[in-house]
């Protein structure tokens, strides 16, 4: 029995020692307001450039004055209960490193914004001592080196922005332990290697931006787990392989840009599930196969660019359902068949380029309904037939490029209504008849090329009114008569 009591006593004493030790640890790790202020001043002294004037309010008061003076009067410093909880020194011309930054002296720091400065050097591993950090914003500095592996310990992080620096190496898979992260941008750096498979663990992510780096390898299928994701930007990398169909699971996605990579294979039909998508940029890749008709389900789409790939087959007539579309770029592919008349339903269109394909048939007269269109590029195709008179209804047009096709018939006099036109390229076709004098009404015209056709008759004297014209190409036709005197001057 005595032995049992002795064991209980020993256990109690051990527990008491542990409690005292842990209490000692808490006290020893806490930092007084004056210590915080001194530590920040030490970092200020290590900075150069215009930092001194930006941080001119960072001075210690006499010792008898309230020790929380820095909480009240220092620029960029916010406190709670006398302890620094937020530092926002964005765009204050800071130059220097973080080597003297008082990480260990700011245990209550929730936010650190040093964006738009000229800070350089490595990101110190000591940053992990800021265990309560909710956000780090180092956007637009000159930081270099690799992301410390230990950053995966900052489990309170919700926002991490290292965009536009000189950071390199690969993404540490430990970053994928930051389960509370809703914003991650590592864009415009020099990162390389593959995107970690573990990225699919970041279930809270709303925005993921890795663009303008040197990432290689495939897009991980695990991305399909990020069902809260609204913005996904992987453009301007060296990514290869096909797009995983799991991307179609990202029902919250609003903008998706995978442009300017080495991605191949077909565009997944599962994209038709992305009902909230407003922007889809897949241009400058190596995609092949046909455009899935399911893209026509994306009723929220505003910008669609699939240009500069190896896409074949016809343009889906389902595109006529994309009523909010302002930009449609399908140029530089291997598309064939006729242009669907349904494209004329896209009343919001501002830019339409279908050039450099194998499109045939005639230009749909329904194009006359595109009242907001400013740029229409159909050049370098196999289009035939005459230009529909309705093109003259497109009053917003500034550029009309129909060159290098098999278009015939006469140039419509209705072109005289296109008062905003600055560029009209109809060369390398089979147009005949005379040049309509109404072209002389286009006072904004800068470039006019009607060369290599079968145009006849004289050059209209009204051309003398085109005061802004810098280029006029009429060669390789069957024109006759004299050159209008105003053109000669």
């Amino acid at each position: 029995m005595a032995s049992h009591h002795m064991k209980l006593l020993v256990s109690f004493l051990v527990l008491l020692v542990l409690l005292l030790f842990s209490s000692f640890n808490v006290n020893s790790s806490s930092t007084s307001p004056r210590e915080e202020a001194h530590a920040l001043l030490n970092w200020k002294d290590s900075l150069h450039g215009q930092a001194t004037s930006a941080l001119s309010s960072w001075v210690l008061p006499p010792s008898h004055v309230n020790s929380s003076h820095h909480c009240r009067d220092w620029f960029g410093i916010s406190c709670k209960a006398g302890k620094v909880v937020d530092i926002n020194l964005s765009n204050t011309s800071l130059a220097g490193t973080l080597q003297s930054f008082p990480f260990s002296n700011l245990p209550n720091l929730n936010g650190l914004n040093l964006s738009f400065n000229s800070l350089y050097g490595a990101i110190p591993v000591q940053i992990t001592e800021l265990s309560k950090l909710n956000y780090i914003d180092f956007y637009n500095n000159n930081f270099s080196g690799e992301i410390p592996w230990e950053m995966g310990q900052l489990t309170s992080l919700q926002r991490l922005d290292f965009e536009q620096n000189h950071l390199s190496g690969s993404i540490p898979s430990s970053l994928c332990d930051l389960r509370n992260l809703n914003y991650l941008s590592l864009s415009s750096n020099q990162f390389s290697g593959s995107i970690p498979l573990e990225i699919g663990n970041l279930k809270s992510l709303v925005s993921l931006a890795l663009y303008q780096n040197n990432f290689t390898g495939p897009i991980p299928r695990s991305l399909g787990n990020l069902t809260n994701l609204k913005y996904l930007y992987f453009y301007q990398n060296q990514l290869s392989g096909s797009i995983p169909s799991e991307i179609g699971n990202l029902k919250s996605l609003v903008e998706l840009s995978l442009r300017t990579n080495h991605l191949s294979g077909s565009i997944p039909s599962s994209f038709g599930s992305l009902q909230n998508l407003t922007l889809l940029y897949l241009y400058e890749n190596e995609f092949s196969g046909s455009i899935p008709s399911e893209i026509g389900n994306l009723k929220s789409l505003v910008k669609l660019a699939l240009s500069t790939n190896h896409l074949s087959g016809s343009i889906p007539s389902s595109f006529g359902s994309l009523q909010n579309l302002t930009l449609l770029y399908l140029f530089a592919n291997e598309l064939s068949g006729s242009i669907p008349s349904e494209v004329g339903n896209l009343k919001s269109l501002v830019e339409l380029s279908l050039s450099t394909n194998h499109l045939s048939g005639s230009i749909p007269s329904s194009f006359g309904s595109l009242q907001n269109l400013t740029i229409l590029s159909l050049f370098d195709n196999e289009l035939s037939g005459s230009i529909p008179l309705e093109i003259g209804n497109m009053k917003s047009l500034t550029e009309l490029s129909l060159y290098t096709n098999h278009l015939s018939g006469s140039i419509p006099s209705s072109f005289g209504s296109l008062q905003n036109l600055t560029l009209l390229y109809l060369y390398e076709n089979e147009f005949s008849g005379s040049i309509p004098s109404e072209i002389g009404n286009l006072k904004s015209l800068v470039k006019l090329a009607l060369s290599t056709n079968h145009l006849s008759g004289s050059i209209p004297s009204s051309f003398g009114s085109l005061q802004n014209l810098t280029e006029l190409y009429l060669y390789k036709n069957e024109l006759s008569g004299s050159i209008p005197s105003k053109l000669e001057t």
Side-chain angles (χ1 to χ4, degrees), residues 209-231:
L210 305 180
Y211 61 84
Q212 289 180 335
N213 279 290
N214 299 306
F215 290 117
T216 55
I219 296 172
R221 292 189 177 279
S222 62
L223 275 181
N225 298 331
L226 307 182
T227 51
N228 291 304
L229 206 60
K230 290 185 177 180
Y231 305 97

Side-chain angles (χ1 to χ4, degrees), residues 284-388:
E284 290 178 4
N285 276 288
E286 297 162 26
F287 293 118
S288 58
S290 57
I291 300 171
S293 61
E294 290 85 351
I295 299 287
N297 298 338
L298 306 181
K299 303 293 194 295
S300 302
L301 214 52
V302 175
K303 295 184 178 183
L304 175 59
L306 309 179
S307 44
T308 316
N309 279 290
H310 307 299
L311 296 169
S312 58
S314 58
I315 299 170
S317 58
S318 62
F319 275 20
S321 301
L322 305 176
Q323 293 294 306
N324 293 304
L325 211 59
T326 65
L327 180 147
L328 177 56
Y329 282 172
L330 302 179
F331 64 84
N333 276 291
E334 296 160 27
L335 298 171
S336 58
S338 58
I339 301 171
S341 62
E342 289 87 350
V343 173
N345 297 338
L346 306 179
K347 305 291 195 298
S348 301
L349 264 190
V350 175
E351 295 185 34
L352 174 60
S353 181
L354 309 178
S355 55
T356 315
N357 278 290
H358 306 301
L359 298 170
S360 57
S362 57
I363 298 171
S365 59
S366 61
F367 274 20
S369 302
L370 303 178
Q371 297 290 305
N372 294 303
L373 203 67
T374 62
I375 296 174
L376 176 57
S377 294
L378 304 178
F379 64 84
D380 198 9
N381 274 291
E382 295 160 26
L383 298 172
S384 59
S386 56
I387 297 175

Side-chain angles (χ1 to χ4, degrees), residues 259-277:
R259 68 170 176 86
T260 319
N261 277 287
H262 303 300
L263 297 168
S264 58
S266 57
I267 298 170
S269 58
S270 62
F271 273 22
S273 303
L274 306 177
Q275 294 293 307
N276 293 303
L277 209 60

Side-chain angles (χ1 to χ4, degrees), residues 84-363:
V84 177
V85 293
D86 194 271
I87 297 177
N88 185 348
L89 299 175
S90 176
N91 200 17
T92 45
S93 304
L94 303 184
T97 73
L98 293 181
Q99 299 312 306
S100 301
F101 190 87
F103 297 110
S104 59
N105 296 98
L106 302 171
N108 300 290
L109 199 64
N110 296 142
L112 180 57
N113 185 348
L114 302 176
S115 60
F116 295 99
N117 283 297
S118 300
L119 297 167
Y120 55 88
I123 295 170
V125 69
Q126 287 80 7
I127 198 168
T128 56
E129 296 180 28
L130 303 175
S131 60
K132 295 183 180 177
L133 271 184
N134 290 325
Y135 79 91
I136 299 174
D137 190 346
F138 289 174
Y139 178 86
N140 199 349
N141 277 282
N142 298 311
F143 289 115
S144 59
E146 301 189 4
I147 297 175
W149 176 270
E150 293 81 357
M151 284 202 70
Q153 297 168 15
L154 295 176
T155 51
S156 295
L157 269 187
Q158 295 174 26
R159 180 184 176 91
L160 178 59
D161 193 343
F162 285 162
E163 184 173 342
Q164 211 162 310
N165 280 281
H166 305 296
L167 297 167
S168 58
S170 57
I171 299 176
S173 59
S174 60
L175 282 192
C176 302
D177 295 333
L178 304 177
R179 303 299 172 92
N180 292 306
L181 211 58
N182 57 52
Y183 181 98
L184 175 61
S185 180
L186 305 179
S187 305
S188 302
N189 279 284
Q190 294 153 24
F191 290 114
S192 57
S194 299
I195 298 169
L197 300 177
E198 296 87 347
I199 204 148
N201 297 338
L202 301 178
K203 302 273 177 56
S204 300
L205 270 187
V206 173
S207 181
L208 175 57
L210 305 180
Y211 61 84
Q212 289 180 335
N213 279 290
N214 299 306
F215 290 117
T216 55
I219 296 172
R221 292 189 177 279
S222 62
L223 275 181
N225 298 331
L226 307 182
T227 51
N228 291 304
L229 206 60
K230 290 185 177 180
Y231 305 97
L232 178 56
Y233 305 123
F234 283 178
Y235 62 85
Q236 278 186 265
N237 278 289
Q238 315 283 336
L239 298 172
S240 58
S242 57
I243 298 177
S245 60
E246 288 83 352
I247 297 284
N249 298 338
L250 306 181
K251 303 291 196 295
S252 302
L253 216 52
V254 174
E255 295 191 2
L256 173 59
S257 182
L258 306 177
R259 68 170 176 86
T260 319
N261 277 287
H262 303 300
L263 297 168
S264 58
S266 57
I267 298 170
S269 58
S270 62
F271 273 22
S273 303
L274 306 177
Q275 294 293 307
N276 293 303
L277 209 60
T278 64
L279 180 147
L280 178 57
Y281 280 176
L282 303 181
Y283 65 88
E284 290 178 4
N285 276 288
E286 297 162 26
F287 293 118
S288 58
S290 57
I291 300 171
S293 61
E294 290 85 351
I295 299 287
N297 298 338
L298 306 181
K299 303 293 194 295
S300 302
L301 214 52
V302 175
K303 295 184 178 183
L304 175 59
L306 309 179
S307 44
T308 316
N309 279 290
H310 307 299
L311 296 169
S312 58
S314 58
I315 299 170
S317 58
S318 62
F319 275 20
S321 301
L322 305 176
Q323 293 294 306
N324 293 304
L325 211 59
T326 65
L327 180 147
L328 177 56
Y329 282 172
L330 302 179
F331 64 84
N333 276 291
E334 296 160 27
L335 298 171
S336 58
S338 58
I339 301 171
S341 62
E342 289 87 350
V343 173
N345 297 338
L346 306 179
K347 305 291 195 298
S348 301
L349 264 190
V350 175
E351 295 185 34
L352 174 60
S353 181
L354 309 178
S355 55
T356 315
N357 278 290
H358 306 301
L359 298 170
S360 57
S362 57
I363 298 171

